[in-house]
């Protein structure tokens, strides 16, 4: 009997050592993250996933608030740099808007409506060329971030759900993996092929309507904008609902299976309690690895999306400020065109935020629901 107990103790120590070692070296051959790190590096983000995972395993916080002032300074510098890079666009829009107001003023002084109309038309054409060029630049940023985030998710899902299965959640890993693939493909397709094209359509309709005195296109533009808002809300509700339903059902099946195995091991005479403890340690370390990969991927997605989101937000803010400044001087239609572009850029910003939220919700629900192994 003493020999059996000694063997069990040795096995327990070995298994425990292996589990702890495995948790401390999460980015090994079993969970290769080199492809994910490559995407992060190509995005221009200074984020080391392996180093961050090591901090999580060591018990450090998710965010380092000791350098909060540095983050704030970086944010201010980034927004200032983004505005400076597009200063030629903003200055041109500002100059054209002021010129349109001056030309309209001269036309009214000399009672020459032809001068006012010609000046307004020239101002509109010049303004639209610059506005649409700046808008297309922002559209490209939004389209690129959608592609990058979903490419990151496609590479992360096999590794992450392998860790989920290793933590005893085999059914959850299979179910969530299938759902995540379908959801990622559907959301990416909708954003790239419906939402962004509809944004382009709306900006053209709204600008054309602003140049018309009869406002014949306002209803169509309103329908397009309403459809965009509905798509964002539906995407959030659908993804959250599907993942919550999966998170209620599948982990319960895994809990039942693991509980049955644990009770069976516990019933073995002589070594039952020790076997149950060893099983708990193994599942606990695997769960630590699973959560570490999930949280690291979540933070990586935020890091990838935050810079493009700030660039888009800075552009929208700049156009909005220009519109407010030139409103007392410029022609009403010119001011309205600038405001329209600002609002459509804001819709692209909302799309990027929705994209990040969908990914965060998916990873958070999987992490939380698969922790209920007993």
């Amino acid at each position: 009997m003493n020999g059996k107990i000694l063997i069990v103790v040795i096995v327990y120590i070995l298994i425990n050592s292996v589990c702890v070692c495995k948790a401390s070296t999460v980015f090994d051959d079993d969970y290769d993250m080199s492809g994910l790190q490559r995407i992060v590096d190509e995005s221009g983000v200074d984020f080391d996933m392996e180093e961050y995972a090591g901090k999580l395993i060591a018990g450090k916080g998710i965010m380092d608030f000791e350098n909060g002032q540095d983050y704030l300074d970086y944010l201010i510098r980034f927004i200032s740099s983004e505005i400076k890079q597009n200063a030629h666009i903003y200055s041109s829009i500002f100059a054209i808007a002021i010129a349109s107001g001056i030309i309209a003023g001269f036309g009214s002084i000399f009672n020459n409506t032809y001068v006012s109309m010609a000046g307004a038309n020239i101002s509109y054409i010049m303004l639209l060329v610059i506005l649409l060029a700046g808008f297309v630049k922002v559209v490209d940023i939004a389209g690129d971030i959608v592609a990058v985030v979903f490419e990151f998710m496609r590479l992360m899902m096999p590794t992450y759900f392998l860790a989920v299965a290793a933590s005893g959640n085999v059914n959850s890993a299979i179910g969530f993996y299938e759902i995540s693939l379908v959801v990622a493909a559907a959301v990416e397709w909708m954003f790239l092929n419906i939402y962004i094209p509809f944004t382009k359509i709306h900006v053209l309709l709204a600008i054309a309507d602003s140049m018309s005195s009869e406002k014949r296109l306002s209803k169509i533009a309103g329908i397009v904008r309403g459809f965009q808002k509905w798509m964002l809300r539906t995407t959030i509700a659908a993804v959250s609902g599907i993942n919550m339903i999966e998170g209620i059902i599948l982990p319960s099946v895994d809990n039942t299976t693991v509980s049955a195995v644990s009770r069976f091991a516990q019933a073995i005479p002589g070594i039952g309690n020790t076997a149950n403890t060893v099983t708990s340690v193994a599942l606990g370390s695997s769960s630590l690895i699973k959560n570490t990969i999930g949280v690291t991927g979540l933070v990586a997605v935020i890091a990838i999306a935050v810079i493009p989101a700030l660039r888009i937000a800075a552009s929208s803010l700049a156009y909005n400020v220009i519109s407010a400044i030139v409103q007392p001087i410029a022609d009403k239609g010119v001011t309205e065109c600038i405001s329209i572009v600002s609002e459509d850029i804001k819709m692209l910003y909302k799309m990027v935020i929705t994209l990040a939220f969908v990914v965060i919700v998916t990873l958070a629900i999987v992490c939380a629901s698969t922790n209920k192994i007993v």
Side-chain angles (χ1 to χ4, degrees):
M1 181 62 69
N2 291 335
K4 292 182 179 180
I5 294 175
L6 179 61
I7 292 174
V8 171
V9 171
I10 293 173
V11 172
Y12 170 78
I13 293 174
L14 289 175
I15 292 178
N16 185 55
S17 301
V18 171
C19 291
V20 173
C21 179
K22 189 175 183 61
S24 62
T25 58
V26 59
F27 291 90
D28 55 9
D29 294 336
D30 293 333
Y31 304 106
D32 184 19
M33 293 290 181
S34 58
L36 299 177
Q37 187 63 53
R38 175 182 55 80
I39 294 178
V40 173
D41 294 338
E42 291 176 354
S43 301
V45 179
D46 184 15
F47 179 71
D48 192 325
M49 298 181 68
E50 184 175 357
E51 179 183 354
Y52 185 79
K55 291 181 179 179
L56 290 179
I57 293 177
K60 296 184 180 180
I62 296 178
M63 297 295 293
D64 184 11
F65 292 101
E66 294 180 357
N67 299 321
Q69 185 62 41
D70 295 337
Y71 295 149
L72 181 60
D73 293 340
Y74 172 78
L75 177 61
I76 294 174
R77 290 197 304 270
F78 176 81
I79 294 177
S80 300
S81 174
E82 183 66 21
I83 293 176
K84 288 179 181 178
Q85 289 181 4
N86 296 291
H88 62 289
I89 295 178
Y90 303 145
S91 60
S92 299
I93 294 173
F94 183 82
I96 293 173
I98 297 298
S100 68
I102 294 174
I103 293 174
F106 275 117
S108 61
I109 291 174
F110 295 104
N111 294 323
N112 193 333
T113 57
Y114 295 105
V115 173
S116 299
M117 291 177 59
N121 291 332
I122 294 173
S123 300
Y124 272 127
I125 294 172
M126 295 174 62
L127 181 68
L128 289 180
V129 171
I130 298 175
L131 282 177
L132 292 178
F135 178 73
V136 169
K137 182 179 179 181
V138 177
V139 169
D140 291 339
I141 295 173
D144 289 342
I145 190 57
V146 171
V148 169
V149 168
F150 282 113
E151 179 64 21
F152 182 89
M153 288 299 297
R154 274 191 288 268
L155 287 178
M156 180 180 174
M157 282 190 289
T159 300
Y160 178 57
F161 287 110
L162 176 63
V164 173
S167 65
N169 297 278
V170 178
N171 294 291
S172 297
I174 296 173
F176 276 117
Y177 183 54
E178 293 175 349
I179 291 297
S180 298
L181 284 176
V182 174
V183 168
V187 174
E188 180 184 16
W189 184 86
M190 285 192 302
F191 280 170
L192 292 178
N193 296 282
I194 297 179
Y195 189 89
I196 291 180
F198 267 55
T199 305
K200 297 177 182 178
I201 292 173
H202 179 271
V203 74
L204 293 176
L205 289 174
I207 288 176
D209 189 62
S210 68
M211 298 174 64
S212 173
S213 59
E214 298 181 0
K215 305 297 181 183
R216 295 179 181 272
L217 301 175
S218 59
K219 294 296 183 181
I220 299 178
I223 292 174
V224 173
R225 177 49 46 83
F227 179 76
Q228 286 182 296
K229 294 179 179 179
W230 174 85
M231 181 180 292
L232 291 181
R233 294 166 183 166
T234 303
T235 300
I236 294 174
V239 173
S240 301
I242 291 173
N243 283 295
M244 287 180 66
I245 292 173
E246 294 285 342
I248 293 172
I249 298 174
L250 295 178
S252 299
V253 178
D254 291 319
N255 284 341
T256 302
T257 304
V258 173
S259 296
V261 173
S262 178
R263 296 293 184 269
F264 177 79
Q266 194 172 6
I268 299 175
I271 63 171
N273 292 331
T274 303
N276 184 47
T277 303
V278 171
T279 302
S280 299
V281 171
L283 291 177
S285 63
S286 298
S287 181
L288 174 60
I289 293 174
K290 178 257 300 180
N291 289 339
T292 300
I293 295 176
V295 173
T296 302
L298 187 151
V299 175
V301 169
I302 295 175
I304 292 172
V306 67
I307 292 180
L310 288 175
R311 293 180 65 185
I312 295 173
S315 297
S316 178
L317 177 63
Y319 285 121
N320 207 16
V321 170
I322 293 173
S323 176
I325 293 175
V326 302
Q327 185 178 19
I329 304 172
D331 182 74
K332 179 181 178 181
V334 169
T335 305
E336 191 173 348
C337 286
I338 300 174
S339 298
I340 288 168
V341 173
S342 175
E343 288 298 317
D344 279 283
I345 292 176
K346 188 184 296 183
M347 291 301 297
L348 293 174
Y349 171 77
K350 291 180 179 179
M351 182 198 70
V352 174
I353 296 300
T354 301
L355 169 66
F357 180 80
V358 165
V359 175
I360 290 171
V361 165
T362 300
L363 292 176
I365 290 178
V366 175
C367 282
S369 61
T370 53
N371 284 336
K372 299 177 182 179
I373 294 297
V374 294

